[in-house]
Amino acid sequence: MTEVVAELERRYPPVWAEDWDRVGLVLGEPSAPVRRVLCVVDVVPETVAEALDAAVDMIVAHHPLLLRGVSSVAPTTYKGRIVHQLIRAGVALYVAHTNADVAAPGVSDALAARFGLTDLRPLRPAAPGSPAYGPGRGFGRVGELPSPMTLAELTRHAAAVLPATSWGVRAAGDPGRMVRTLAVSGGSGDAFLGDATAVGADAYLTADLRHHPAGEHLAAEGTALLDAAHWATERPWLDDLAALLRETTGVETLVSDLDTDPWTMHACAPALDDKELRT
């Protein structure tokens, strides 16, 4: 395990994580051998079952299982059951979260690659003097599409190139607006709405956009918006993560395609059946 952890921390140093984040080795003996790794976005009962069925030695997750303080990991609690399952099975758990978000390449680079973006630069560069400061590092990415698309076309394209979810992709703005420069940010990205406008993006794709920030952004003539499922914007990074570990440590790597987005159904009111936008 020492070699795998060392490689993860070389590519995604824990000091790059936000102060509130909880990254690094969560469970597992550092001296234990690791032959097979499962890469997941979320540590939930379904992905834990997948790990146990595949007889992996380690899970590398994007989202922390223990982000906020807990007073108990008793098996009668949700997270406690997961901890006990993993310990009993001898499965280690490692987390790379915001330190993987700001890395270059990192989570948003993998998302940008789904759209073929070129001339990539950070949406919000790491601040000078911060641990993550350096070439290309920071939250989100901005780049140029291979060919301009209308917002309506880009919305349909996003739904096709991102992992499928019931949430799909929704958009806000003029359907005919031409999009050449696209900003993207894996995961919850409404903190970067102002950045997307400031860098001159024509549209911004992220997840978890909230009603009021999105409405105020549009009212201020900000970029067009595309809102995808949180899991779908971060799942592409798992392929890069698996390739990194396979190539640098020689371990067998598996990638979870289990859709852990909590939303499982989607319906449109018949009155909103817009022929131009409906997919």
Side-chain angles (χ1 to χ4, degrees), residues 230-257:
H230 193 124
W231 173 83
T233 64
E234 294 176 328
R235 162 59 186 84
W237 172 68
L238 299 184
D239 294 322
D240 292 354
L241 171 64
L244 168 70
L245 294 178
R246 184 169 57 250
E247 293 165 6
T248 59
T249 69
V251 299
E252 181 182 358
T253 54
L254 309 174
V255 172
S256 175
D257 274 318

mmCIF file with all atom_site columns, all heavy atoms in Angstrom, residues 230-257:
data_model
loop_
_atom_site.group_PDB
_atom_site.id
_atom_site.type_symbol
_atom_site.label_atom_id
_atom_site.label_alt_id
_atom_site.label_comp_id
_atom_site.label_asym_id
_atom_site.label_entity_id
_atom_site.label_seq_id
_atom_site.pdbx_PDB_ins_code
_atom_site.Cartn_x
_atom_site.Cartn_y
_atom_site.Cartn_z
_atom_site.occupancy
_atom_site.B_iso_or_equiv
_atom_site.pdbx_formal_charge
_atom_site.auth_seq_id
_atom_site.auth_comp_id
_atom_site.auth_asym_id
_atom_site.auth_atom_id
_atom_site.pdbx_PDB_model_num
ATOM 1   N N   . HIS A 1 230 ? -24.096 15.646 -10.415 1.00 0.00 ? 230 HIS A N   1
ATOM 2   C CA  . HIS A 1 230 ? -22.799 15.745 -9.729  1.00 0.00 ? 230 HIS A CA  1
ATOM 3   C C   . HIS A 1 230 ? -21.916 14.545 -10.078 1.00 0.00 ? 230 HIS A C   1
ATOM 4   O O   . HIS A 1 230 ? -20.752 14.704 -10.479 1.00 0.00 ? 230 HIS A O   1
ATOM 5   C CB  . HIS A 1 230 ? -23.054 15.818 -8.217  1.00 0.00 ? 230 HIS A CB  1
ATOM 6   C CG  . HIS A 1 230 ? -21.876 16.214 -7.406  1.00 0.00 ? 230 HIS A CG  1
ATOM 7   N ND1 . HIS A 1 230 ? -21.886 17.285 -6.547  1.00 0.00 ? 230 HIS A ND1 1
ATOM 8   C CD2 . HIS A 1 230 ? -20.631 15.671 -7.292  1.00 0.00 ? 230 HIS A CD2 1
ATOM 9   C CE1 . HIS A 1 230 ? -20.716 17.393 -5.953  1.00 0.00 ? 230 HIS A CE1 1
ATOM 10  N NE2 . HIS A 1 230 ? -19.927 16.414 -6.387  1.00 0.00 ? 230 HIS A NE2 1
ATOM 11  N N   . TRP A 1 231 ? -22.454 13.340 -9.932  1.00 0.00 ? 231 TRP A N   1
ATOM 12  C CA  . TRP A 1 231 ? -21.679 12.120 -10.206 1.00 0.00 ? 231 TRP A CA  1
ATOM 13  C C   . TRP A 1 231 ? -21.173 12.113 -11.643 1.00 0.00 ? 231 TRP A C   1
ATOM 14  O O   . TRP A 1 231 ? -20.015 11.743 -11.900 1.00 0.00 ? 231 TRP A O   1
ATOM 15  C CB  . TRP A 1 231 ? -22.547 10.891 -9.939  1.00 0.00 ? 231 TRP A CB  1
ATOM 16  C CG  . TRP A 1 231 ? -21.906 9.602  -10.349 1.00 0.00 ? 231 TRP A CG  1
ATOM 17  C CD1 . TRP A 1 231 ? -21.014 8.857  -9.633  1.00 0.00 ? 231 TRP A CD1 1
ATOM 18  C CD2 . TRP A 1 231 ? -22.097 8.896  -11.588 1.00 0.00 ? 231 TRP A CD2 1
ATOM 19  N NE1 . TRP A 1 231 ? -20.640 7.744  -10.338 1.00 0.00 ? 231 TRP A NE1 1
ATOM 20  C CE2 . TRP A 1 231 ? -21.290 7.739  -11.545 1.00 0.00 ? 231 TRP A CE2 1
ATOM 21  C CE3 . TRP A 1 231 ? -22.880 9.127  -12.724 1.00 0.00 ? 231 TRP A CE3 1
ATOM 22  C CZ2 . TRP A 1 231 ? -21.246 6.824  -12.599 1.00 0.00 ? 231 TRP A CZ2 1
ATOM 23  C CZ3 . TRP A 1 231 ? -22.834 8.224  -13.775 1.00 0.00 ? 231 TRP A CZ3 1
ATOM 24  C CH2 . TRP A 1 231 ? -22.019 7.082  -13.700 1.00 0.00 ? 231 TRP A CH2 1
ATOM 25  N N   . ALA A 1 232 ? -22.009 12.532 -12.589 1.00 0.00 ? 232 ALA A N   1
ATOM 26  C CA  . ALA A 1 232 ? -21.641 12.471 -14.002 1.00 0.00 ? 232 ALA A CA  1
ATOM 27  C C   . ALA A 1 232 ? -20.479 13.393 -14.333 1.00 0.00 ? 232 ALA A C   1
ATOM 28  O O   . ALA A 1 232 ? -19.692 13.102 -15.245 1.00 0.00 ? 232 ALA A O   1
ATOM 29  C CB  . ALA A 1 232 ? -22.841 12.814 -14.877 1.00 0.00 ? 232 ALA A CB  1
ATOM 30  N N   . THR A 1 233 ? -20.316 14.499 -13.623 1.00 0.00 ? 233 THR A N   1
ATOM 31  C CA  . THR A 1 233 ? -19.237 15.431 -13.920 1.00 0.00 ? 233 THR A CA  1
ATOM 32  C C   . THR A 1 233 ? -17.907 14.974 -13.327 1.00 0.00 ? 233 THR A C   1
ATOM 33  O O   . THR A 1 233 ? -16.847 15.475 -13.727 1.00 0.00 ? 233 THR A O   1
ATOM 34  C CB  . THR A 1 233 ? -19.548 16.852 -13.407 1.00 0.00 ? 233 THR A CB  1
ATOM 35  O OG1 . THR A 1 233 ? -19.639 16.836 -11.976 1.00 0.00 ? 233 THR A OG1 1
ATOM 36  C CG2 . THR A 1 233 ? -20.834 17.384 -14.019 1.00 0.00 ? 233 THR A CG2 1
ATOM 37  N N   . GLU A 1 234 ? -17.951 14.043 -12.372 1.00 0.00 ? 234 GLU A N   1
ATOM 38  C CA  . GLU A 1 234 ? -16.719 13.593 -11.733 1.00 0.00 ? 234 GLU A CA  1
ATOM 39  C C   . GLU A 1 234 ? -16.324 12.172 -12.127 1.00 0.00 ? 234 GLU A C   1
ATOM 40  O O   . GLU A 1 234 ? -15.152 11.795 -11.985 1.00 0.00 ? 234 GLU A O   1
ATOM 41  C CB  . GLU A 1 234 ? -16.857 13.712 -10.215 1.00 0.00 ? 234 GLU A CB  1
ATOM 42  C CG  . GLU A 1 234 ? -16.981 15.163 -9.781  1.00 0.00 ? 234 GLU A CG  1
ATOM 43  C CD  . GLU A 1 234 ? -17.217 15.344 -8.302  1.00 0.00 ? 234 GLU A CD  1
ATOM 44  O OE1 . GLU A 1 234 ? -17.863 14.466 -7.679  1.00 0.00 ? 234 GLU A OE1 1
ATOM 45  O OE2 . GLU A 1 234 ? -16.775 16.370 -7.752  1.00 0.00 ? 234 GLU A OE2 1
ATOM 46  N N   . ARG A 1 235 ? -17.273 11.391 -12.634 1.00 0.00 ? 235 ARG A N   1
ATOM 47  C CA  . ARG A 1 235 ? -16.959 10.021 -13.058 1.00 0.00 ? 235 ARG A CA  1
ATOM 48  C C   . ARG A 1 235 ? -15.851 9.967  -14.117 1.00 0.00 ? 235 ARG A C   1
ATOM 49  O O   . ARG A 1 235 ? -14.999 9.050  -14.065 1.00 0.00 ? 235 ARG A O   1
ATOM 50  C CB  . ARG A 1 235 ? -18.249 9.346  -13.567 1.00 0.00 ? 235 ARG A CB  1
ATOM 51  C CG  . ARG A 1 235 ? -18.067 8.106  -14.429 1.00 0.00 ? 235 ARG A CG  1
ATOM 52  C CD  . ARG A 1 235 ? -17.322 6.985  -13.740 1.00 0.00 ? 235 ARG A CD  1
ATOM 53  N NE  . ARG A 1 235 ? -17.057 5.887  -14.639 1.00 0.00 ? 235 ARG A NE  1
ATOM 54  C CZ  . ARG A 1 235 ? -16.024 5.818  -15.487 1.00 0.00 ? 235 ARG A CZ  1
ATOM 55  N NH1 . ARG A 1 235 ? -15.157 6.820  -15.575 1.00 0.00 ? 235 ARG A NH1 1
ATOM 56  N NH2 . ARG A 1 235 ? -15.860 4.758  -16.258 1.00 0.00 ? 235 ARG A NH2 1
ATOM 57  N N   . PRO A 1 236 ? -15.754 10.913 -15.084 1.00 0.00 ? 236 PRO A N   1
ATOM 58  C CA  . PRO A 1 236 ? -14.682 10.804 -16.083 1.00 0.00 ? 236 PRO A CA  1
ATOM 59  C C   . PRO A 1 236 ? -13.287 10.741 -15.487 1.00 0.00 ? 236 PRO A C   1
ATOM 60  O O   . PRO A 1 236 ? -12.392 10.092 -16.040 1.00 0.00 ? 236 PRO A O   1
ATOM 61  C CB  . PRO A 1 236 ? -14.879 12.059 -16.941 1.00 0.00 ? 236 PRO A CB  1
ATOM 62  C CG  . PRO A 1 236 ? -16.358 12.324 -16.858 1.00 0.00 ? 236 PRO A CG  1
ATOM 63  C CD  . PRO A 1 236 ? -16.720 11.992 -15.425 1.00 0.00 ? 236 PRO A CD  1
ATOM 64  N N   . TRP A 1 237 ? -13.061 11.397 -14.363 1.00 0.00 ? 237 TRP A N   1
ATOM 65  C CA  . TRP A 1 237 ? -11.735 11.409 -13.735 1.00 0.00 ? 237 TRP A CA  1
ATOM 66  C C   . TRP A 1 237 ? -11.292 10.020 -13.292 1.00 0.00 ? 237 TRP A C   1
ATOM 67  O O   . TRP A 1 237 ? -10.080 9.735  -13.250 1.00 0.00 ? 237 TRP A O   1
ATOM 68  C CB  . TRP A 1 237 ? -11.751 12.357 -12.536 1.00 0.00 ? 237 TRP A CB  1
ATOM 69  C CG  . TRP A 1 237 ? -10.503 12.313 -11.698 1.00 0.00 ? 237 TRP A CG  1
ATOM 70  C CD1 . TRP A 1 237 ? -9.257  12.736 -12.063 1.00 0.00 ? 237 TRP A CD1 1
ATOM 71  C CD2 . TRP A 1 237 ? -10.391 11.820 -10.357 1.00 0.00 ? 237 TRP A CD2 1
ATOM 72  N NE1 . TRP A 1 237 ? -8.382  12.544 -11.022 1.00 0.00 ? 237 TRP A NE1 1
ATOM 73  C CE2 . TRP A 1 237 ? -9.043  11.981 -9.969  1.00 0.00 ? 237 TRP A CE2 1
ATOM 74  C CE3 . TRP A 1 237 ? -11.300 11.276 -9.448  1.00 0.00 ? 237 TRP A CE3 1
ATOM 75  C CZ2 . TRP A 1 237 ? -8.585  11.612 -8.701  1.00 0.00 ? 237 TRP A CZ2 1
ATOM 76  C CZ3 . TRP A 1 237 ? -10.848 10.904 -8.196  1.00 0.00 ? 237 TRP A CZ3 1
ATOM 77  C CH2 . TRP A 1 237 ? -9.499  11.071 -7.827  1.00 0.00 ? 237 TRP A CH2 1
ATOM 78  N N   . LEU A 1 238 ? -12.226 9.153  -12.979 1.00 0.00 ? 238 LEU A N   1
ATOM 79  C CA  . LEU A 1 238 ? -11.853 7.821  -12.502 1.00 0.00 ? 238 LEU A CA  1
ATOM 80  C C   . LEU A 1 238 ? -11.019 7.072  -13.532 1.00 0.00 ? 238 LEU A C   1
ATOM 81  O O   . LEU A 1 238 ? -10.134 6.287  -13.169 1.00 0.00 ? 238 LEU A O   1
ATOM 82  C CB  . LEU A 1 238 ? -13.099 7.006  -12.140 1.00 0.00 ? 238 LEU A CB  1
ATOM 83  C CG  . LEU A 1 238 ? -14.004 7.561  -11.034 1.00 0.00 ? 238 LEU A CG  1
ATOM 84  C CD1 . LEU A 1 238 ? -15.126 6.567  -10.749 1.00 0.00 ? 238 LEU A CD1 1
ATOM 85  C CD2 . LEU A 1 238 ? -13.218 7.882  -9.774  1.00 0.00 ? 238 LEU A CD2 1
ATOM 86  N N   . ASP A 1 239 ? -11.284 7.273  -14.801 1.00 0.00 ? 239 ASP A N   1
ATOM 87  C CA  . ASP A 1 239 ? -10.494 6.607  -15.838 1.00 0.00 ? 239 ASP A CA  1
ATOM 88  C C   . ASP A 1 239 ? -9.037  7.075  -15.792 1.00 0.00 ? 239 ASP A C   1
ATOM 89  O O   . ASP A 1 239 ? -8.106  6.269  -15.934 1.00 0.00 ? 239 ASP A O   1
ATOM 90  C CB  . ASP A 1 239 ? -11.086 6.873  -17.217 1.00 0.00 ? 239 ASP A CB  1
ATOM 91  C CG  . ASP A 1 239 ? -12.453 6.254  -17.392 1.00 0.00 ? 239 ASP A CG  1
ATOM 92  O OD1 . ASP A 1 239 ? -12.674 5.142  -16.891 1.00 0.00 ? 239 ASP A OD1 1
ATOM 93  O OD2 . ASP A 1 239 ? -13.315 6.895  -18.034 1.00 0.00 ? 239 ASP A OD2 1
ATOM 94  N N   . ASP A 1 240 ? -8.834  8.366  -15.602 1.00 0.00 ? 240 ASP A N   1
ATOM 95  C CA  . ASP A 1 240 ? -7.471  8.903  -15.505 1.00 0.00 ? 240 ASP A CA  1
ATOM 96  C C   . ASP A 1 240 ? -6.782  8.391  -14.246 1.00 0.00 ? 240 ASP A C   1
ATOM 97  O O   . ASP A 1 240 ? -5.591  8.043  -14.269 1.00 0.00 ? 240 ASP A O   1
ATOM 98  C CB  . ASP A 1 240 ? -7.504  10.432 -15.478 1.00 0.00 ? 240 ASP A CB  1
ATOM 99  C CG  . ASP A 1 240 ? -7.964  11.039 -16.791 1.00 0.00 ? 240 ASP A CG  1
ATOM 100 O OD1 . ASP A 1 240 ? -8.159  10.276 -17.765 1.00 0.00 ? 240 ASP A OD1 1
ATOM 101 O OD2 . ASP A 1 240 ? -8.141  12.265 -16.846 1.00 0.00 ? 240 ASP A OD2 1
ATOM 102 N N   . LEU A 1 241 ? -7.522  8.356  -13.154 1.00 0.00 ? 241 LEU A N   1
ATOM 103 C CA  . LEU A 1 241 ? -6.978  7.859  -11.886 1.00 0.00 ? 241 LEU A CA  1
ATOM 104 C C   . LEU A 1 241 ? -6.549  6.400  -12.013 1.00 0.00 ? 241 LEU A C   1
ATOM 105 O O   . LEU A 1 241 ? -5.446  6.019  -11.596 1.00 0.00 ? 241 LEU A O   1
ATOM 106 C CB  . LEU A 1 241 ? -8.040  8.009  -10.790 1.00 0.00 ? 241 LEU A CB  1
ATOM 107 C CG  . LEU A 1 241 ? -7.745  7.367  -9.443  1.00 0.00 ? 241 LEU A CG  1
ATOM 108 C CD1 . LEU A 1 241 ? -6.531  8.022  -8.793  1.00 0.00 ? 241 LEU A CD1 1
ATOM 109 C CD2 . LEU A 1 241 ? -8.966  7.471  -8.530  1.00 0.00 ? 241 LEU A CD2 1
ATOM 110 N N   . ALA A 1 242 ? -7.412  5.578  -12.601 1.00 0.00 ? 242 ALA A N   1
ATOM 111 C CA  . ALA A 1 242 ? -7.105  4.157  -12.767 1.00 0.00 ? 242 ALA A CA  1
ATOM 112 C C   . ALA A 1 242 ? -5.879  3.967  -13.653 1.00 0.00 ? 242 ALA A C   1
ATOM 113 O O   . ALA A 1 242 ? -5.002  3.134  -13.365 1.00 0.00 ? 242 ALA A O   1
ATOM 114 C CB  . ALA A 1 242 ? -8.309  3.428  -13.356 1.00 0.00 ? 242 ALA A CB  1
ATOM 115 N N   . ALA A 1 243 ? -5.787  4.755  -14.732 1.00 0.00 ? 243 ALA A N   1
ATOM 116 C CA  . ALA A 1 243 ? -4.634  4.651  -15.632 1.00 0.00 ? 243 ALA A CA  1
ATOM 117 C C   . ALA A 1 243 ? -3.346  5.048  -14.907 1.00 0.00 ? 243 ALA A C   1
ATOM 118 O O   . ALA A 1 243 ? -2.297  4.411  -15.086 1.00 0.00 ? 243 ALA A O   1
ATOM 119 C CB  . ALA A 1 243 ? -4.851  5.519  -16.861 1.00 0.00 ? 243 ALA A CB  1
ATOM 120 N N   . LEU A 1 244 ? -3.418  6.093  -14.103 1.00 0.00 ? 244 LEU A N   1
ATOM 121 C CA  . LEU A 1 244 ? -2.252  6.541  -13.343 1.00 0.00 ? 244 LEU A CA  1
ATOM 122 C C   . LEU A 1 244 ? -1.725  5.434  -12.436 1.00 0.00 ? 244 LEU A C   1
ATOM 123 O O   . LEU A 1 244 ? -0.516  5.125  -12.445 1.00 0.00 ? 244 LEU A O   1
ATOM 124 C CB  . LEU A 1 244 ? -2.632  7.765  -12.504 1.00 0.00 ? 244 LEU A CB  1
ATOM 125 C CG  . LEU A 1 244 ? -1.624  8.185  -11.432 1.00 0.00 ? 244 LEU A CG  1
ATOM 126 C CD1 . LEU A 1 244 ? -0.376  8.769  -12.085 1.00 0.00 ? 244 LEU A CD1 1
ATOM 127 C CD2 . LEU A 1 244 ? -2.254  9.185  -10.464 1.00 0.00 ? 244 LEU A CD2 1
ATOM 128 N N   . LEU A 1 245 ? -2.609  4.820  -11.661 1.00 0.00 ? 245 LEU A N   1
ATOM 129 C CA  . LEU A 1 245 ? -2.173  3.780  -10.722 1.00 0.00 ? 245 LEU A CA  1
ATOM 130 C C   . LEU A 1 245 ? -1.679  2.539  -11.447 1.00 0.00 ? 245 LEU A C   1
ATOM 131 O O   . LEU A 1 245 ? -0.699  1.909  -11.032 1.00 0.00 ? 245 LEU A O   1
ATOM 132 C CB  . LEU A 1 245 ? -3.326  3.426  -9.777  1.00 0.00 ? 245 LEU A CB  1
ATOM 133 C CG  . LEU A 1 245 ? -3.757  4.541  -8.826  1.00 0.00 ? 245 LEU A CG  1
ATOM 134 C CD1 . LEU A 1 245 ? -4.934  4.083  -7.970  1.00 0.00 ? 245 LEU A CD1 1
ATOM 135 C CD2 . LEU A 1 245 ? -2.592  4.977  -7.940  1.00 0.00 ? 245 LEU A CD2 1
ATOM 136 N N   . ARG A 1 246 ? -2.345  2.192  -12.527 1.00 0.00 ? 246 ARG A N   1
ATOM 137 C CA  . ARG A 1 246 ? -1.946  1.011  -13.292 1.00 0.00 ? 246 ARG A CA  1
ATOM 138 C C   . ARG A 1 246 ? -0.562  1.201  -13.895 1.00 0.00 ? 246 ARG A C   1
ATOM 139 O O   . ARG A 1 246 ? 0.283   0.298  -13.859 1.00 0.00 ? 246 ARG A O   1
ATOM 140 C CB  . ARG A 1 246 ? -2.978  0.753  -14.384 1.00 0.00 ? 246 ARG A CB  1
ATOM 141 C CG  . ARG A 1 246 ? -2.740  -0.510 -15.189 1.00 0.00 ? 246 ARG A CG  1
ATOM 142 C CD  . ARG A 1 246 ? -3.945  -0.823 -16.065 1.00 0.00 ? 246 ARG A CD  1
ATOM 143 N NE  . ARG A 1 246 ? -4.298  0.271  -16.960 1.00 0.00 ? 246 ARG A NE  1
ATOM 144 C CZ  . ARG A 1 246 ? -5.387  1.029  -16.854 1.00 0.00 ? 246 ARG A CZ  1
ATOM 145 N NH1 . ARG A 1 246 ? -6.261  0.814  -15.886 1.00 0.00 ? 246 ARG A NH1 1
ATOM 146 N NH2 . ARG A 1 246 ? -5.620  1.993  -17.725 1.00 0.00 ? 246 ARG A NH2 1
ATOM 147 N N   . GLU A 1 247 ? -0.307  2.390  -14.437 1.00 0.00 ? 247 GLU A N   1
ATOM 148 C CA  . GLU A 1 247 ? 0.949   2.633  -15.137 1.00 0.00 ? 247 GLU A CA  1
ATOM 149 C C   . GLU A 1 247 ? 2.119   2.880  -14.192 1.00 0.00 ? 247 GLU A C   1
ATOM 150 O O   . GLU A 1 247 ? 3.264   2.563  -14.523 1.00 0.00 ? 247 GLU A O   1
ATOM 151 C CB  . GLU A 1 247 ? 0.783   3.822  -16.075 1.00 0.00 ? 247 GLU A CB  1
ATOM 152 C CG  . GLU A 1 247 ? -0.184  3.541  -17.234 1.00 0.00 ? 247 GLU A CG  1
ATOM 153 C CD  . GLU A 1 247 ? -0.636  4.799  -17.946 1.00 0.00 ? 247 GLU A CD  1
ATOM 154 O OE1 . GLU A 1 247 ? -0.114  5.898  -17.615 1.00 0.00 ? 247 GLU A OE1 1
ATOM 155 O OE2 . GLU A 1 247 ? -1.518  4.695  -18.818 1.00 0.00 ? 247 GLU A OE2 1
ATOM 156 N N   . THR A 1 248 ? 1.859   3.447  -13.022 1.00 0.00 ? 248 THR A N   1
ATOM 157 C CA  . THR A 1 248 ? 2.960   3.814  -12.124 1.00 0.00 ? 248 THR A CA  1
ATOM 158 C C   . THR A 1 248 ? 3.233   2.784  -11.048 1.00 0.00 ? 248 THR A C   1
ATOM 159 O O   . THR A 1 248 ? 4.360   2.695  -10.549 1.00 0.00 ? 248 THR A O   1
ATOM 160 C CB  . THR A 1 248 ? 2.675   5.170  -11.438 1.00 0.00 ? 248 THR A CB  1
ATOM 161 O OG1 . THR A 1 248 ? 1.450   5.077  -10.703 1.00 0.00 ? 248 THR A OG1 1
ATOM 162 C CG2 . THR A 1 248 ? 2.590   6.285  -12.460 1.00 0.00 ? 248 THR A CG2 1
ATOM 163 N N   . THR A 1 249 ? 2.234   1.997  -10.668 1.00 0.00 ? 249 THR A N   1
ATOM 164 C CA  . THR A 1 249 ? 2.435   1.024  -9.587  1.00 0.00 ? 249 THR A CA  1
ATOM 165 C C   . THR A 1 249 ? 2.231   -0.411 -10.028 1.00 0.00 ? 249 THR A C   1
ATOM 166 O O   . THR A 1 249 ? 2.595   -1.334 -9.291  1.00 0.00 ? 249 THR A O   1
ATOM 167 C CB  . THR A 1 249 ? 1.481   1.304  -8.400  1.00 0.00 ? 249 THR A CB  1
ATOM 168 O OG1 . THR A 1 249 ? 0.125   1.011  -8.797  1.00 0.00 ? 249 THR A OG1 1
ATOM 169 C CG2 . THR A 1 249 ? 1.570   2.760  -7.955  1.00 0.00 ? 249 THR A CG2 1
ATOM 170 N N   . GLY A 1 250 ? 1.606   -0.614 -11.186 1.00 0.00 ? 250 GLY A N   1
ATOM 171 C CA  . GLY A 1 250 ? 1.392   -1.969 -11.675 1.00 0.00 ? 250 GLY A CA  1
ATOM 172 C C   . GLY A 1 250 ? 0.214   -2.693 -11.064 1.00 0.00 ? 250 GLY A C   1
ATOM 173 O O   . GLY A 1 250 ? -0.023  -3.869 -11.385 1.00 0.00 ? 250 GLY A O   1
ATOM 174 N N   . VAL A 1 251 ? -0.557  -2.032 -10.205 1.00 0.00 ? 251 VAL A N   1
ATOM 175 C CA  . VAL A 1 251 ? -1.708  -2.699 -9.611  1.00 0.00 ? 251 VAL A CA  1
ATOM 176 C C   . VAL A 1 251 ? -2.822  -2.833 -10.644 1.00 0.00 ? 251 VAL A C   1
ATOM 177 O O   . VAL A 1 251 ? -2.900  -2.061 -11.610 1.00 0.00 ? 251 VAL A O   1
ATOM 178 C CB  . VAL A 1 251 ? -2.243  -1.939 -8.374  1.00 0.00 ? 251 VAL A CB  1
ATOM 179 C CG1 . VAL A 1 251 ? -1.195  -1.861 -7.284  1.00 0.00 ? 251 VAL A CG1 1
ATOM 180 C CG2 . VAL A 1 251 ? -2.733  -0.545 -8.759  1.00 0.00 ? 251 VAL A CG2 1
ATOM 181 N N   . GLU A 1 252 ? -3.674  -3.824 -10.441 1.00 0.00 ? 252 GLU A N   1
ATOM 182 C CA  . GLU A 1 252 ? -4.858  -3.960 -11.288 1.00 0.00 ? 252 GLU A CA  1
ATOM 183 C C   . GLU A 1 252 ? -5.878  -2.922 -10.834 1.00 0.00 ? 252 GLU A C   1
ATOM 184 O O   . GLU A 1 252 ? -6.143  -2.789 -9.639  1.00 0.00 ? 252 GLU A O   1
ATOM 185 C CB  . GLU A 1 252 ? -5.438  -5.357 -11.160 1.00 0.00 ? 252 GLU A CB  1
ATOM 186 C CG  . GLU A 1 252 ? -6.666  -5.592 -12.030 1.00 0.00 ? 252 GLU A CG  1
ATOM 187 C CD  . GLU A 1 252 ? -7.263  -6.974 -11.847 1.00 0.00 ? 252 GLU A CD  1
ATOM 188 O OE1 . GLU A 1 252 ? -6.701  -7.775 -11.075 1.00 0.00 ? 252 GLU A OE1 1
ATOM 189 O OE2 . GLU A 1 252 ? -8.311  -7.243 -12.472 1.00 0.00 ? 252 GLU A OE2 1
ATOM 190 N N   . THR A 1 253 ? -6.438  -2.192 -11.769 1.00 0.00 ? 253 THR A N   1
ATOM 191 C CA  . THR A 1 253 ? -7.387  -1.136 -11.411 1.00 0.00 ? 253 THR A CA  1
ATOM 192 C C   . THR A 1 253 ? -8.738  -1.379 -12.062 1.00 0.00 ? 253 THR A C   1
ATOM 193 O O   . THR A 1 253 ? -8.825  -1.712 -13.241 1.00 0.00 ? 253 THR A O   1
ATOM 194 C CB  . THR A 1 253 ? -6.865  0.249  -11.831 1.00 0.00 ? 253 THR A CB  1
ATOM 195 O OG1 . THR A 1 253 ? -6.530  0.229  -13.221 1.00 0.00 ? 253 THR A OG1 1
ATOM 196 C CG2 . THR A 1 253 ? -5.632  0.640  -11.038 1.00 0.00 ? 253 THR A CG2 1
ATOM 197 N N   . LEU A 1 254 ? -9.776  -1.201 -11.283 1.00 0.00 ? 254 LEU A N   1
ATOM 198 C CA  . LEU A 1 254 ? -11.151 -1.296 -11.737 1.00 0.00 ? 254 LEU A CA  1
ATOM 199 C C   . LEU A 1 254 ? -11.814 0.056  -11.526 1.00 0.00 ? 254 LEU A C   1
ATOM 200 O O   . LEU A 1 254 ? -11.467 0.791  -10.587 1.00 0.00 ? 254 LEU A O   1
ATOM 201 C CB  . LEU A 1 254 ? -11.909 -2.372 -10.956 1.00 0.00 ? 254 LEU A CB  1
ATOM 202 C CG  . LEU A 1 254 ? -11.262 -3.756 -10.872 1.00 0.00 ? 254 LEU A CG  1
ATOM 203 C CD1 . LEU A 1 254 ? -12.082 -4.651 -9.945  1.00 0.00 ? 254 LEU A CD1 1
ATOM 204 C CD2 . LEU A 1 254 ? -11.123 -4.370 -12.245 1.00 0.00 ? 254 LEU A CD2 1
ATOM 205 N N   . VAL A 1 255 ? -12.770 0.385  -12.373 1.00 0.00 ? 255 VAL A N   1
ATOM 206 C CA  . VAL A 1 255 ? -13.502 1.649  -12.261 1.00 0.00 ? 255 VAL A CA  1
ATOM 207 C C   . VAL A 1 255 ? -14.978 1.349  -12.068 1.00 0.00 ? 255 VAL A C   1
ATOM 208 O O   . VAL A 1 255 ? -15.569 0.579  -12.828 1.00 0.00 ? 255 VAL A O   1
ATOM 209 C CB  . VAL A 1 255 ? -13.299 2.522  -13.516 1.00 0.00 ? 255 VAL A CB  1
ATOM 210 C CG1 . VAL A 1 255 ? -14.213 3.733  -13.480 1.00 0.00 ? 255 VAL A CG1 1
ATOM 211 C CG2 . VAL A 1 255 ? -11.844 2.964  -13.626 1.00 0.00 ? 255 VAL A CG2 1
ATOM 212 N N   . SER A 1 256 ? -15.570 1.955  -11.052 1.00 0.00 ? 256 SER A N   1
ATOM 213 C CA  . SER A 1 256 ? -16.995 1.758  -10.792 1.00 0.00 ? 256 SER A CA  1
ATOM 214 C C   . SER A 1 256 ? -17.836 2.618  -11.727 1.00 0.00 ? 256 SER A C   1
ATOM 215 O O   . SER A 1 256 ? -17.655 3.838  -11.792 1.00 0.00 ? 256 SER A O   1
ATOM 216 C CB  . SER A 1 256 ? -17.334 2.108  -9.351  1.00 0.00 ? 256 SER A CB  1
ATOM 217 O OG  . SER A 1 256 ? -18.733 2.014  -9.140  1.00 0.00 ? 256 SER A OG  1
ATOM 218 N N   . ASP A 1 257 ? -18.753 1.977  -12.434 1.00 0.00 ? 257 ASP A N   1
ATOM 219 C CA  . ASP A 1 257 ? -19.706 2.701  -13.261 1.00 0.00 ? 257 ASP A CA  1
ATOM 220 C C   . ASP A 1 257 ? -21.081 2.744  -12.608 1.00 0.00 ? 257 ASP A C   1
ATOM 221 O O   . ASP A 1 257 ? -22.055 3.129  -13.263 1.00 0.00 ? 257 ASP A O   1
ATOM 222 C CB  . ASP A 1 257 ? -19.812 2.053  -14.645 1.00 0.00 ? 257 ASP A CB  1
ATOM 223 C CG  . ASP A 1 257 ? -18.757 2.583  -15.603 1.00 0.00 ? 257 ASP A CG  1
ATOM 224 O OD1 . ASP A 1 257 ? -18.529 3.806  -15.600 1.00 0.00 ? 257 ASP A OD1 1
ATOM 225 O OD2 . ASP A 1 257 ? -18.153 1.781  -16.326 1.00 0.00 ? 257 ASP A OD2 1
#
